[in-house]
Amino acid sequence: MSDVIVNDNRLAVLDHSRLRANSGKPGAERGRISVRDVDIVFDTASGPHVAVQNASLTVRPGEFVCLLGPSGCGKSTLMNSIAGFVPPTRGDVTVDGEAVTEPAPDRGMVFQQHSLFPWKTVKENVAFGPLMAGVGQNEANGVARTFLSLVGLAAFENTYPNTLSGGMQQRVGIARALANYPSVLLMDEPFGALDAQTRIMMQENLLDIWREFRNTVVFVTHDIDEAVFLSDRIVVMSASPGRIIADIDVNLSRPREQSLLTSPEFMALKRQCLDLIRKETLNAFQQQNKAG
Amino acid sequence: MDSKSNVAMRTTEPLVEAETDPAMAQAAREETGAGVPAGEKKADNDSRPPAGVWFKTTGTRYLVRIMALVVAVVLWELASTNGFHFYINFDNIPAPSVVGAALVTELTGKEFYLHILHSLERVAIAYVIAVVVGVVLGVAMGRSRWAEDIILPYIELLRPIPAVAWIPLAILMLPTEQSSIIFITFLGALFPVILNTVHGVEQTNSVLVRAARSLGASRTAILWHVVLPGAMPSIVAGLAIGMGVAWFSLLAGEIISGQYGIGYYTWNSYTLIQYPQIIIGMLTIGGLGTLCTLLVRKGCNPLLKWQAKGGRS
């Protein structure tokens, strides 16, 4: 984990003075997430619905964490509370010691799909964050170009999103979130709508970018392969109510490539995850049955 | 004019352009992967089909449209010259040839153009006010439940009242004949603009709002960068419909006009029993209404260029 901090020449395009000016802290120390005893309860027509129950989680700066779980287990809700969209009903969420009360550009967000502004060109989409941060149009355009190069889409800066494929749109989404130099990148099943081929390439892409950026990433997925391939750590959640049932370290060396997916150590880890998830899920079921 | 019918209207237009898309669709199908080389796909600029294909598709369709009109004119001519009278009576209806001759006379004079100019002026003033008021109220209603609850009852109550019914009140309330006519025209254009704006604003995509918030956008910035552009297709449909309604409200308003206006011209021809002129007046209103609606749509196109597949800024 600590083997790669700042070593890639592509990093030259990133503006490190801005990165530090934004936070006042050196890059490696930004993005510590702390979730403590969080319950998230929604009022629905059929009474209160507990989406997240008693969740506690600490993510270290620069760590890549996957929230893994079945659909509807509250993993996206938990992430949305880190993003600042959903206030916890109980407990607290802090990033770098500050309580999260609303969304902020310091916590970049990548959504599942169709989240680009369709009326803005690719460049305008990426420049939006810097513009909102108050830099001038020229500088914002410059930042946008930098980040579009980073995701390999510089040639498409004047295209509208609806002409791009799903994978390209997601890369623009990643560039847009990163253009604010966030200390935390929150990704809500960003590759969930893509076909398998594209998905694998996107995962490699993401790791390439992240290796240069080294910010904290929280990545929501229901795909075990994806979680193992990407993360330093997998936090497993169970459904209704959403609870954290396992916390698995992924000690696979980086950089990771597609060949890893068929390697014995990947398989072993995946098996370990499956077993653990199965055991914990069974436990959870039994506890629920006892309680019920 | 309610919001549902507008959605239908909006979808009619892109059909014409839809045929020109295959190249673009192909460009979009090419997949991502790591770093697509620059300039690998620039298909969208040369994606127009050759002229022959254009004529077979779009050209043929326009030909059919024109022929449909020609058939009606020919039938009308036959009915009038032969004095067709079977429940519907064409005895007193001037034939297209007679109307055409009268039109030529009108076009050589100055009077006819004055009528048109006066009507254009009234529509322009009324329409601009209606657009400003309509969009502002519509956005307010779409964004705030309070605004909607306060304004909606007025709209529901006033909207069904036809323009003609406003004439007495307009005369009583407003200082001049001109202002009364403009008021009536304004009311006609106002409601479609408001309702479509509300509809568009209420359709705001919540994912885009969340995206904007996570990128640091303020409420004002969200309104400007997310809500308004997102509502624009619906607003533009409202603007086009509003323009059409403005013209037929104008006709009602100009009943009270003392001297000029194409509506006045039509009514006056009726009282003077100048049948060809009535038809000229009617067709002029129809033509101007269509033309202005078309101008509104074309004028708004730059606001919607992102909807066209393969558009480049």
Side-chain angles (χ1 to χ4, degrees):
Chain A
M1 271 285 316
S2 55
D3 52 342
V4 192
I5 301 291
V6 176
N7 70 346
D8 198 300
N9 55 3
R10 269 214 274 170
L11 267 174
V13 297
L14 301 174
D15 184 345
H16 285 270
S17 62
R18 258 206 68 209
L19 192 133
R20 294 194 178 86
N22 269 359
S23 69
K25 296 167 201 159
E29 286 309 313
R30 299 166 73 217
R32 180 182 298 279
I33 302 170
S34 165
V35 174
R36 264 185 314 191
D37 308 325
V38 163
D39 286 354
I40 300 173
V41 183
F42 293 118
D43 287 321
T44 65
S46 54
H49 167 72
V50 182
V52 176
Q53 191 178 61
N54 204 21
S56 290
L57 173 69
T58 303
V59 183
R60 292 184 294 275
E63 197 172 25
F64 197 126
V65 173
C66 276
L67 289 181
L68 178 68
S71 302
C73 74
K75 54 194 192 298
S76 292
T77 308
L78 182 59
M79 165 178 287
N80 279 332
S81 74
I82 300 171
F85 292 122
V86 179
T89 314
R90 187 178 70 89
D92 54 40
V93 178
T94 61
V95 172
D96 291 335
E98 282 175 41
V100 171
T101 53
E102 58 181 0
D106 198 36
R107 278 164 275 129
M109 191 79 193
V110 179
F111 299 85
Q112 183 165 9
Q113 59 176 338
H114 304 314
S115 75
L116 299 178
F117 306 119
W119 40 84
K120 291 184 185 292
T121 61
V122 163
K123 183 179 69 192
E124 288 166 345
N125 263 282
V126 181
F128 185 71
L131 270 184
M132 291 299 110
V135 314
Q137 185 71 58
N138 286 340
E139 195 185 332
N141 284 346
V143 174
R145 288 202 184 92
T146 300
F147 280 86
L148 284 173
S149 319
L150 196 70
V151 297
L153 290 176
F156 296 92
E157 61 171 45
N158 290 327
T159 330
Y160 285 97
N162 67 356
T163 64
L164 300 181
S165 67
M168 292 160 96
Q169 291 187 15
Q170 287 308 83
R171 282 195 275 163
V172 177
I174 293 168
R176 184 177 68 173
L178 289 176
N180 281 323
Y181 292 86
S183 57
V184 175
L185 186 61
L186 303 169
M187 309 184 82
D188 191 357
E189 303 201 39
F191 310 144
L194 305 179
D195 61 80
Q197 311 289 320
T198 312
R199 177 185 263 242
I200 291 166
M201 282 198 285
M202 292 293 291
Q203 290 165 355
E204 285 185 318
N205 259 214
L206 175 64
L207 288 183
D208 282 349
I209 294 165
W210 176 68
R211 194 173 50 180
E212 297 175 8
F213 227 88
R214 300 308 292 192
N215 51 1
T216 309
V217 178
V218 179
F219 188 107
V220 165
T221 182
H222 57 252
D223 180 342
I224 295 183
D225 282 18
E226 185 167 66
V228 175
F229 183 69
L230 291 175
S231 59
D232 297 319
R233 212 175 119 203
I234 302 174
V235 173
V236 184
M237 291 183 71
S238 74
S240 34
R243 273 176 301 184
I244 294 174
I245 56 170
D247 196 327
I248 303 164
D249 279 323
V250 180
N251 291 313
L252 297 173
S253 64
R254 293 185 190 272
R256 296 175 188 171
E257 277 157 14
Q258 198 179 335
S259 55
L260 180 70
L261 289 169
T262 48
S263 69
E265 62 262 40
F266 183 90
M267 289 300 176
L269 202 58
K270 186 177 166 185
R271 184 182 301 267
Q272 187 195 332
C273 283
L274 282 167
D275 289 346
L276 190 52
I277 290 167
R278 187 178 158 77
K279 201 177 103 198
E280 295 291 346
T281 311
L282 283 176
N283 277 347
F285 268 129
Q286 279 161 6
Q287 276 172 13
Q288 257 176 299
N289 288 345
K290 271 181 211 158
Chain B
M1 253 148 297
D2 67 305
S3 43
K4 273 182 196 140
S5 64
N6 300 339
V7 178
M9 275 207 61
R10 228 192 309 155
T11 54
T12 57
E13 200 167 58
L15 285 178
V16 185
E17 267 134 33
E19 286 103 348
T20 65
D21 270 343
M24 213 31 246
Q26 201 214 332
R29 249 180 275 126
E30 289 187 38
E31 213 355 49
T32 70
V36 179
E40 185 183 299
K41 43 183 200 165
K42 49 181 173 79
D44 24 62
N45 282 341
D46 327 308
S47 65
R48 264 171 215 284
V53 176
W54 180 89
F55 190 80
K56 265 189 194 150
T57 55
T58 319
T60 312
R61 296 193 61 187
Y62 276 105
L63 201 67
V64 171
R65 289 171 197 195
I66 291 165
M67 289 310 293
L69 287 178
V70 170
V71 168
V73 172
V74 169
L75 286 177
W76 170 15
E77 179 78 35
L78 289 174
S80 292
T81 47
N82 295 316
F84 180 86
H85 189 171
F86 180 74
Y87 191 71
I88 300 170
N89 185 4
F90 272 83
D91 276 340
N92 293 320
I93 305 298
S97 50
V98 179
V99 175
L103 179 63
V104 170
T105 321
E106 292 289 9
L107 289 178
T108 49
K110 218 171 68 179
E111 198 85 336
F112 187 61
Y113 297 106
L114 278 176
H115 287 302
I116 291 178
L117 273 181
H118 275 82
S119 288
L120 280 175
E121 184 196 3
R122 288 168 185 148
V123 165
I125 296 170
Y127 186 70
V128 167
I129 301 173
V131 167
V132 172
V133 174
V135 171
V136 168
L137 288 184
V139 169
M141 288 169 69
R143 294 285 278 169
S144 141
R145 202 161 293 170
W146 273 98
E148 181 160 22
D149 288 343
I150 291 170
I151 301 168
L152 199 62
Y154 291 96
I155 293 179
E156 295 297 348
L157 196 66
L158 301 183
R159 189 165 63 104
I161 300 173
V164 190
W166 279 100
I167 290 175
L169 267 188
I171 293 172
L172 289 174
M173 281 161 45
L174 290 156
T176 61
E177 184 184 276
Q178 177 79 346
S179 55
S180 304
I181 298 170
I182 288 174
F183 173 70
I184 290 165
T185 312
F186 156 81
L187 273 185
L190 179 67
F191 295 118
V193 174
I194 292 188
L195 291 175
N196 275 274
T197 307
V198 173
H199 177 72
V201 169
E202 283 179 346
Q203 300 253 302
T204 301
N205 183 340
S206 63
V207 173
L208 298 186
V209 173
R210 291 203 298 154
R213 288 181 68 199
S214 79
L215 292 166
S218 62
R219 276 183 68 91
T220 322
I222 288 172
L223 180 67
W224 195 248
H225 291 278
V226 181
V227 176
L228 277 180
M232 204 46 82
S234 184
I235 294 178
V236 168
L239 295 187
I241 296 165
M243 181 51 96
V245 182
W247 276 98
F248 65 73
S249 304
L250 175 82
L251 174 75
E254 285 185 343
I255 293 174
I256 57 176
S257 172
Q259 208 174 359
Y260 285 114
I262 200 70
Y264 163 80
Y265 169 88
T266 310
W267 283 110
N268 198 42
S269 306
Y270 178 63
T271 41
L272 298 177
I273 330 181
Q274 296 171 327
Y275 294 134
Q277 278 73 10
I278 297 174
I279 292 169
I280 291 172
M282 287 168 64
L283 293 179
T284 308
I285 292 167
L288 287 174
T290 308
L291 192 69
C292 289
T293 306
L294 203 69
L295 283 178
V296 168
R297 283 200 181 275
K298 290 286 170 211
C300 291
N301 264 352
L303 296 171
L304 299 179
K305 63 180 177 187
W306 53 273
Q307 283 193 318
K309 291 248 169 184
R312 295 207 165 209
S313 65

